[in-house]
Amino acid sequence: MTPMRTDLVTNIRAELTKQRKRPAHWLLLAVAVLLTLTFAYLIPYLGLADTPEGVTNGRGIGALLPPAFVGNVIAGTPLFVGALAVIFGVLVAGSEYNWESWKTVLAQGPSRLTVLGAKMAVLVLGTLVLLGTLLAAGAAASALVGVLKDQPLDWPSVSAILLGAGGGWLITTMWAMLGVVLAIGFRGVALPIGLGLVWLLAVQNLLAVVAAPLLDWVADLQLGLPGPNAGSLVAALGAPPGTPGVDALTAAPQATLVIAAYLIGFAVLGAWLFRRRDIA
Amino acid sequence: MTSPVETTALTKRYGHLAAVTGLDLTVRTGEVYGFLGPNGAGKTTTLRMLLGLIRPTSGTIRLFGASPGPHYLDRVGALIEGPAFYPYLSGHDNLRVLAAHAGAGPRRVATVLRIVDLADRAGDRYGTYSLGMKQRLGLAAALLKDPALLILDEPTNGLDPAGMADIRATIRRLADDGRTVLLSSHLLGEVQQICDRVGMISEGRLVAQLSVADLSSAGLRVIADPLPAARERVSAMIGADRVTEHGDALYLDTTDDMVPRINAELVHAGLAVRELHRCEPDLERTFLELTGGRGDSHAH
């Protein structure tokens, strides 16, 4: 009966097995791909087919071709991809409360911060997989449009792809981390998902559309909120203007810093809450 | 040698509600210690504090002499308040995940599955398991680190009689292998069957610690009419502190050679002696006496 050592690497391995084999995550990924392809490619393409050349969305065929694929894909991250990322974060952390499996895991002896750190690491990997898959799907769709419309397949530079992917990844990870904090704060799944979606899909829009035009302080407040900064960042990285949630309110460097600050803030808040509260 | 479990003045309060108060608990190496109390007495809260899941309001906890911190649970396996696993994973994968969390080798998974006799169904999804199988998987998870101390919280809860007997036999076997076991239960018979020593908790307080063997000297059961007069007579004979009353009977802490004398005294006093015999070890009566009859309907 020798004392066992636990560390972050073995806990990440445990977490990877758990999350990799969870069907709900793959369903979320499929929904994200479906929504991205539908709203970024299928609907604009159908519109393109039904209207005179160049009229669709004021963007024309060029918006569906490979040079624009990065912007098309990450345009969803401030809104619906972000919503799916919140659900992903809530499921990763909150299901442990629903299944009461925290006690089973923690009774094995790892420290709370090690377990949560492993969860966050896997969360970051998960959002990387999400962004990578969306970019691959977007690239394939744009190539298909190019072939169908007999257009040249000019791809963006590697640096442009990496920059766009990095921005989208940062935003998606920030939303997923919000999901983790909500799950830990409310110790479950249903309420955190509900609150996360209400904030992301309703409150942010109401603030932007209803409150900000009327109240200067709300307009100023928006500049520090995660959603508008996410919208600003993807706008700077090529997301099509006019897409819901995409609006260049702040400069890209500021938007990046604000989103990174939220990401770190959510992670620290989640760790602080998880460390100090009882596992009932 | 340090005790596997030692708490001093352990207390947990939720606002004004005291869940556990001033608990001094010592579990000795190699024993099966029954932590007995009705539902809501504070058993699970105590065990959760031992495992660091709940922070005590005050008091100290030591497991093998170590205070909560890194490697505090290295020699401890636990099953708390029923099994809880990932329903979409197989039993084997669940244990593999937990082995990684524990820092235990993956080879240990097959070993513990064999110990709890679950190897045949290890590939099935946990969500498809019967309650008995889930409990056995819980026990397997508790054994992943090959622990010197097992903390088991009502491990037979919800099982049918065959399942209960199965789990109890497994626990006894594990104890016979040299492990210390701290077992909480509200089932008196279970504690009496499995345990060497018993701690009784009521309303968050430890009201007694005694060995199960000591219960064999539980004494004489007397039913006589009228009971108050009988109590007065026998109290005068053996001392009032050795006479307790529960229900319609008196229980006397006395020796066999006193039986004829007590009988003669009661008959001589004109009391109707309906029953007088040495009673079997009776944890229930002791428990009810010590807790002032605060056991709930599950205490049987």
Side-chain angles (χ1 to χ4, degrees):
Chain A
M1 298 181 194
T2 55
M4 299 293 173
R5 287 179 60 83
T6 62
D7 57 24
L8 189 61
V9 174
T10 57
N11 278 274
I12 288 175
R13 197 178 304 139
E15 203 59 45
L16 268 176
T17 305
K18 259 188 261 178
Q19 306 307 337
R20 184 170 49 85
K21 295 200 170 191
R22 187 163 183 190
H25 296 332
W26 298 107
L27 179 66
L28 283 178
L29 181 64
V31 170
V33 170
L34 185 69
L35 289 178
T36 298
L37 292 182
T38 301
F39 290 107
Y41 288 96
L42 181 63
I43 290 175
Y45 182 81
L46 293 175
L48 194 68
D50 289 346
T51 56
E53 192 73 22
V55 173
T56 301
N57 202 21
R59 296 160 57 204
I61 184 70
L64 302 180
L65 293 175
F69 91 92
V70 175
N72 283 342
V73 167
I74 63 173
T77 57
L79 215 60
F80 66 84
V81 174
L84 294 168
V86 168
I87 296 173
F88 173 56
V90 171
L91 289 180
V92 166
S95 298
E96 303 274 4
Y97 292 99
N98 273 28
W99 294 324
E100 299 183 10
S101 43
W102 277 129
K103 65 181 183 189
T104 311
V105 169
L106 295 175
Q108 296 297 339
S111 79
R112 293 189 186 198
L113 290 184
T114 303
V115 173
L116 190 64
K119 251 185 205 308
M120 289 176 174
V122 171
L123 193 86
V124 171
L125 281 177
T127 52
L128 183 63
V129 170
L130 173 65
L131 247 293
T133 307
L134 292 181
L135 285 169
S142 65
L144 182 64
V145 171
V147 169
L148 289 175
K149 292 290 183 183
D150 200 21
Q151 297 288 321
L153 300 182
D154 296 327
W155 295 97
S157 65
V158 172
S159 62
I161 293 173
L162 289 178
L163 207 58
W169 186 25
L170 180 67
I171 293 166
T172 312
T173 307
M174 182 268 295
W175 289 128
M177 204 62 81
L178 171 63
V180 170
V181 172
L182 289 171
I184 292 172
F186 294 98
R187 299 187 231 220
V189 167
L191 186 60
I193 286 180
L195 290 176
L197 295 188
V198 165
W199 171 263
L200 219 144
L201 301 177
V203 176
Q204 284 194 156
N205 277 337
L206 289 172
L207 286 174
V209 176
V210 178
L214 298 174
L215 301 166
D216 287 344
W217 66 269
V218 175
D220 292 339
L221 177 71
Q222 280 218 100
L223 303 181
L225 293 178
N229 279 285
S232 301
L233 181 57
V234 295
L237 294 171
T243 307
V246 177
D247 196 358
L249 292 177
T250 60
Q254 183 194 323
T256 306
L257 286 176
V258 170
I259 294 164
Y262 272 106
L263 171 60
I264 293 166
F266 289 149
V268 170
L269 178 62
W272 178 75
L273 273 176
F274 187 61
R275 189 166 181 267
R276 71 184 295 273
R277 293 170 86 181
D278 289 344
I279 303 292
Chain B
M1 192 162 70
T2 53
S3 299
V5 179
E6 194 166 4
T7 72
T8 310
L10 189 62
T11 298
K12 179 67 182 180
R13 286 198 188 85
Y14 295 100
H16 293 299
L17 178 73
V20 175
T21 306
L23 193 75
D24 295 324
L25 183 71
T26 304
V27 179
R28 301 171 192 149
T29 303
E31 73 177 351
V32 181
Y33 185 96
F35 197 37
L36 184 65
N39 291 331
K43 302 186 299 294
T44 299
T45 303
T46 302
L47 299 188
R48 283 179 181 267
M49 282 193 282
L50 292 182
L51 293 169
L53 299 174
I54 292 179
R55 220 177 284 268
T57 306
S58 61
T60 61
I61 301 172
R62 287 184 182 278
L63 299 185
F64 297 104
S67 300
H71 308 301
Y72 165 73
L73 295 177
D74 278 357
R75 299 170 69 190
V76 182
L79 170 59
I80 296 295
E81 246 191 343
F85 291 95
Y86 305 100
Y88 56 92
L89 293 179
S90 68
H92 182 273
D93 281 348
N94 266 294
L95 292 182
R96 207 157 58 92
V97 162
L98 292 171
H101 278 304
R107 271 180 297 181
R108 183 75 189 148
V109 171
T111 306
V112 297
L113 282 168
R114 271 199 309 276
I115 291 174
V116 300
D117 197 20
L118 204 57
D120 291 348
R121 296 287 306 275
D124 295 352
R125 269 195 325 120
Y126 173 75
T128 65
Y129 281 11
S130 69
L131 187 55
M133 292 165 68
K134 288 176 178 175
Q135 290 283 26
R136 277 190 279 157
L137 190 68
L139 211 47
L143 292 169
L144 277 169
K145 289 181 287 182
D146 195 9
L149 169 66
L150 267 176
I151 296 177
L152 305 174
D153 185 16
E154 311 213 351
T156 60
N157 222 4
L159 298 181
D160 59 24
M164 283 182 174
D166 190 27
I167 291 285
R168 286 172 190 162
T170 306
I171 293 169
R172 195 61 251 185
R173 203 168 61 238
L174 292 167
D176 292 342
D177 287 346
R179 291 182 175 84
T180 304
V181 180
L182 169 55
L183 169 91
S184 93
S185 180
H186 61 262
L187 301 174
L188 300 161
E190 176 170 279
V191 169
Q192 212 157 1
Q193 271 180 43
I194 305 177
C195 300
D196 305 312
R197 213 155 60 93
V198 181
M200 296 180 180
I201 186 171
S202 176
E203 297 182 345
R205 293 174 187 277
L206 193 66
V207 292
Q209 287 192 95
L210 63 164
S211 78
V212 171
D214 286 347
L215 291 167
S216 59
S217 61
L220 209 60
R221 173 181 162 93
V222 178
I223 299 178
D225 281 336
L227 200 62
R231 178 168 190 163
E232 196 178 313
R233 288 277 170 182
V234 295
S235 294
M237 287 178 76
I238 64 171
D241 60 327
R242 295 167 73 184
V243 180
T244 54
E245 186 175 333
H246 180 59
D248 60 352
L250 297 176
Y251 293 90
L252 316 182
D253 179 10
T254 185
T255 50
D256 283 349
D257 60 336
M258 287 295 288
V259 174
R261 289 177 57 193
I262 289 168
N263 188 34
E265 174 68 19
L266 294 177
V267 171
H268 184 68
L271 304 176
V273 178
R274 298 175 185 280
E275 194 176 315
L276 195 157
H277 64 89
R278 173 154 294 284
C279 49
E280 291 301 307
D282 192 344
L283 194 52
E284 179 175 358
R285 181 171 56 79
T286 309
F287 179 76
L288 291 173
E289 283 167 11
L290 290 167
T291 60
R294 284 187 289 270
D296 67 11
S297 58
H298 288 90
H300 51 264

